[in-house]
Every structure is written in C-alpha cells, then in structure tokens.
Amino acid sequence: MGLLSKKDAALITDPLADNNPITIQVLGICSALAITAELKASIVMSISVLFVLGIGNVVISLLRNIIPSKIRIIVQLIVVAALVIIVDLVLKAFAYELSKTLSVFVGLIITNCIIMGRFEAFALGNGPWKSFLDGIGNALGYGVILIAVGFFRELLGSGTLLGFKVLGDPIEKTGLYAIGYENNGFMLLSPMALIVVGIIIWIQRTKNPALIED
Amino acid sequence: MEHIELFFKSIFIDNMVFATFLGMCSYLAVSKKVSTAVGLGAAVIFVLAVTVPVNWLLDQYLLQPGALGTWLGDEYADYDLSFLSFIMFIATIATMVQLVEIIVEKFAPALYNSLGIFLPLIAVNCAILGGSLFMQSREIPTLGLSLTYGIGSGIGWFLAILAIAAIREKIRYSSVPPALRGLGITFIITGLMAIGFMSFGGMLTGGEEPADDKKETKAKVEVIQKKELEKELANNTKKITE
C-alpha cells in the first residue's frame, strides 16, 4: 500500500469484517432490512450511503472546530439532509422506477444511525482525510451486508439476480424448475430479512469467537 | 370510523418495527431492560404525536406543489417546494424534540426524569422521521387523521419494544448457542414476531377478495350493512350523551 499507511488501510478494512457497522456496531439496521428484497435496490442503497457518508464525514470533520457542541446534532442533521436531497434528486432524474421502490427509505438515510454514529464517534475527532477513509470503510461494510442479504433474498425468493433469470424460467419449467424446484415466496417478505441477517451474524461469530457476547 | 380504522391499522398492520423496520437501531440498543424500554417507548409516542401533525401542516401549507398559492395568492401557485421536505421535516423534528424537552422539564419534572435521557436520542430515531415521511407519501387527508396516525404508530412501536424487552429479559436464562447470543437471537426473534404480526394483515380487508360475479352484490350488501351499522352507532352515541 503505497498510498495508504497501515493505520489508514485499517480504517477501510476493519468495518468490512470485525467491526462491521451492521453486525457488530448495530447501526443502520432500518434501511438494511426494508429494501433488500431485490439486489438492485440494495446496490443503489449502498452507493447512496457511500456517497452521503464519505462526503458527510469530510464536511463534519472540516467543521468540527467551528460547531458549538450544544447544537451539533442539528448541524449534522442539516448536512446529511442536504446530501440526501442531492441523492434523492439524482435518483429521481436517472432511475425513477427505482426511486419509487426505495420510496421513503432514501429520505431515511438522514436518520440512518450509521451516519450519525460515525459523525459522533469519528469525524468530530479526526482530520478530513482519515474521516473520509472511515466513511468509505463503514459504508462499504454496510454495503457488503446489504448486498449479501439482497443476493440471497432475490435468488431464493424470485429465482433471479438483478432481474436475470439465473435459475431458469418458473413458468416454462426450464433449468432448476424442471426438476421440481420452487421459489420460496416467503423470502420476499420483510420478516425473512431479519432472519437472514440473524444467520449472517451467527456465521460471523462462529468463525470469530472473540465477537461473542456474554 | 376512519379514525379508529387508521388507529388500529397503524398499530398492528403497518407496525413501525415489524412491517417497515423503522427505529430498529434504538429498538435493538435500548431493549435490554423492560423499564428503559417503557421510557423510550413513551417518549416515542409523545414525540410522534407532536411532530406528525406539525409536519402535516408544513406539508399542506408550504411544501406541496401549489400549496403556497392557497394562502399567498395566485402568483405563488406554481411553486413546488417538495424537494425541501427532508430538510424541513428533520429540522422540525430536531427543534420539536428540544422544545418538548424544555416544556416537559418545566411543567412535569417527574416525567422529565423518567424520559429525560431518551428525548435527545429520539431526534435521530428513524421511526420519527419515518412517521412524517409515510404521512406525506400516504397522503393522509386531515390534521385530525395525522394526529391519529402519529399516536397509533407510536403505540405500535411502544408495543414492539416492550415485547422484545420482556423476551430478552427471559431469554437470559435459556441456553442459546454461544454465537447467537445477544444480537443474533434478537434478530431472529424479531423476525418471528414480524411473521406473527403479518397475520393481522387480513384484519381490515376481511381476507380473500370475493369472486367477480359475487363482488357487486356483496358490495351492495356491505354498503347497506355499513349504513345500518352507522345508524346504530349514531343511536348509541346519542344514548350515551343523553
């Protein structure tokens, strides 16, 4: 790593596994669950959060010595809200159908706890470059889980990935469907998102017993 | 009638936690003990009941396309400020939470002591902003209904966090697989509870849609029954008021 020192690289890689914002820090669950019935929506959501968290962390970090600590929450909310409005307008302009599926959940990025959590825990105490890396790292960690959940829910629920029929056609009975495979429509319903995340947490903690709670 | 319908709908069918996953962060973080869960739940009901109607007024008279024209004259009728709704809503919520905190501290110190630490947390609870955004996207027609919606969703959230806190207190005595302890099992329990709550889905629609040919007659019968019911209700309320 020529560009990044070891410490800086850890800022990006830590949140991907051992300090994952969703499975370990328990931040940003709300949106993670509601929009993961399709892989495409999960990917778009991850990119939106990447944008908001990366830029937001830099802005807050630059402002950190000017913001009076009493009103910092309102200042943070305004910064995030401005960034989210940009994301929302871009989505409406270039991916209108998708912005309809995401509905209010784009707006809910504002109160996504990951963003406030990283502002409070990191950007308020560190320089802009480090905060940027931290923001990118955490957004990637969030995206990894989101995409994993979206992948399994779309694959098992409707037999497609990004809209492509990877398991064959359920009506014409080709591919896996020829030997009697059925889609599990239950995977598309919201409760299954919780259970899938629960299983991901289970697997992660079995692999790394240091993370087990007492 | 529509108030009652919306009230129960927002508690059970569109439950904030189980149907739309709003407020999950604080739901998971503050549900280790029943007493703290009750405090946070009460604060959420309170804040939702205040912010949803206030944001409804803002939406109706400021943000909707053409809303400015209704009270500033026709020259403003073309303005569409709806892109500002996120920033307006969140600013309202943050200030309302501060205001509520000050008022409660002044007039009800006992309530403040029990709610106090939770109130600032609430500004960033997705359930609050979600309540306002859903109010906007579902186009709730009147101020009264928006109040009902706010209170109903608040109670729904309260029920959810109370239930999970009670379960988590009990589950400490059972032998959960080590890797699932804490967060993992909470997720799975919430999933199972959400499946349970899905059974409320048929409560207002009355289950299966009737077949096409029967549909019309059934609809007619329903209208007649509804009228009779309304008459009966009106009579009852008269009797009660007398």
Side-chain angles (χ1 to χ4, degrees):
Chain A
M1 290 271 191
L3 188 62
L4 303 168
S5 67
K6 224 176 185 181
K7 241 180 168 178
D8 286 350
L11 287 175
I12 290 195
T13 51
D14 265 2
L16 287 180
D18 291 348
N19 197 16
N20 189 284
I22 293 186
T23 59
I24 309 297
Q25 303 173 30
V26 208
L27 297 173
I29 315 281
C30 329
S31 52
L33 301 172
I35 45 91
T36 47
E38 279 174 61
L39 188 55
K40 201 174 169 192
S42 331
I43 293 175
V44 170
M45 193 69 181
S46 314
I47 295 172
S48 315
V49 169
L50 187 75
F51 171 79
V52 174
L53 191 52
I55 301 202
N57 248 359
V58 173
V59 173
I60 293 293
S61 162
L62 287 172
L63 293 175
R64 70 184 187 281
N65 296 324
I66 316 170
I67 304 173
S69 69
K70 272 194 174 166
I71 58 156
R72 66 174 192 285
I73 293 201
I74 296 185
V75 175
Q76 289 165 359
L77 284 174
I78 299 295
V79 171
V80 189
L83 290 169
V84 170
I85 288 177
I86 298 176
V87 169
D88 186 45
L89 291 179
V90 169
L91 277 183
K92 271 188 187 146
F94 294 107
Y96 188 71
E97 286 302 312
L98 207 61
S99 83
K100 279 276 172 243
T101 5
L102 291 175
S103 70
V104 299
F105 290 97
V106 178
L108 287 172
I109 298 177
I110 298 171
T111 48
N112 191 323
C113 324
I114 286 186
I115 293 177
M116 296 301 285
R118 290 330 289 174
F119 283 3
E120 285 280 303
F122 201 91
L124 279 176
N126 289 284
W129 174 238
K130 276 193 172 156
S131 306
F132 179 68
L133 293 178
D134 178 78
I136 299 289
N138 275 285
L140 286 177
Y142 170 84
V144 165
I145 301 292
L146 221 66
I147 290 170
V149 178
F151 176 82
F152 284 114
R153 283 182 74 190
E154 189 175 346
L155 184 67
L156 300 177
S158 40
T160 57
L161 281 178
L162 292 172
F164 296 111
K165 293 173 180 144
V166 288
L167 296 183
D169 198 313
I171 300 159
E172 290 167 18
K173 300 276 176 211
T174 57
L176 262 185
Y177 298 97
I179 53 171
Y181 174 82
E182 290 284 342
N183 283 329
N184 182 359
F186 210 59
M187 292 299 283
L188 294 177
L189 298 174
S190 41
M192 282 314 283
L194 283 161
I195 293 177
V196 172
V197 176
I199 292 170
I200 291 177
I201 292 174
W202 191 2
I203 295 169
Q204 191 186 16
R205 291 186 186 189
T206 317
K207 284 176 97 178
N208 186 353
L211 301 172
I212 292 175
E213 294 170 48
D214 49 28
Chain B
M1 194 57 207
E2 55 184 347
H3 281 273
I4 299 170
E5 197 181 310
L6 185 68
F7 184 68
F8 283 105
K9 202 174 162 217
S10 49
I11 294 181
F12 293 110
I13 302 172
D14 294 328
N15 187 290
M16 280 277 182
V17 173
F18 297 129
T20 47
F21 300 119
L22 296 177
M24 284 299 277
C25 312
S26 29
Y27 167 85
L28 291 168
V30 197
S31 62
K32 285 189 180 127
K33 275 168 73 189
V34 169
S35 51
T36 46
V38 170
L40 184 66
V44 166
I45 299 181
F46 199 61
V47 173
L48 265 176
V50 177
T51 54
V52 174
V54 171
N55 280 336
W56 184 87
L57 287 175
L58 272 178
D59 184 45
Q60 205 69 14
Y61 293 107
L62 214 56
L63 298 173
Q64 273 183 7
L68 282 175
T70 53
W71 56 284
L72 276 182
D74 284 339
E75 60 213 287
Y76 292 94
D78 293 336
Y79 284 62
D80 176 5
L81 295 181
S82 53
F83 69 94
L84 282 177
S85 38
F86 294 157
I87 222 163
M88 289 293 276
F89 285 176
I90 198 69
T92 323
I93 288 167
T95 38
M96 287 317 285
V97 169
Q98 290 264 293
L99 255 180
V100 165
E101 203 180 338
I102 294 167
I103 293 170
V104 170
E105 189 181 9
K106 176 89 173 119
F107 293 104
L111 184 66
Y112 179 76
N113 286 334
S114 54
L115 292 188
I117 42 168
F118 298 116
L119 280 171
L121 267 182
I122 278 182
V124 287
N125 186 333
C126 346
I128 311 291
L129 182 64
S132 291
L133 289 177
F134 272 123
M135 173 272 297
Q136 190 190 32
S137 72
R138 286 180 189 160
E139 292 169 359
I140 286 180
T142 65
L143 183 62
L145 278 174
S146 73
L147 179 67
T148 313
Y149 179 72
I151 295 176
S153 345
I155 293 176
W157 201 87
F158 176 84
L159 279 181
I161 196 169
L162 188 62
I164 196 74
I167 293 174
R168 282 181 87 170
E169 273 195 1
K170 288 281 173 202
I171 214 161
R172 231 171 278 157
Y173 307 108
S174 20
S175 67
V176 179
L180 264 181
R181 256 174 229 159
L183 193 58
I185 195 72
T186 315
F187 264 100
I188 292 178
I189 293 171
T190 313
L192 295 176
M193 284 163 77
I195 294 172
F197 261 69
M198 276 168 58
S199 58
F200 288 115
M203 205 162 74
L204 289 181
T205 52
E208 290 287 306
E209 286 284 307
D212 276 342
D213 52 332
K214 288 181 188 168
K215 218 174 188 173
E216 268 191 26
T217 47
K218 204 174 175 188
K220 271 181 196 165
V221 173
E222 265 175 6
V223 168
I224 295 166
Q225 279 176 344
K226 217 177 178 181
K227 271 183 187 164
E228 279 173 3
L229 239 172
E230 273 169 8
K231 260 185 202 167
E232 224 175 84
L233 273 177
N235 286 338
N236 280 344
T237 42
K238 254 185 206 166
K239 272 177 203 165
I240 290 164
T241 45
E242 278 164 16

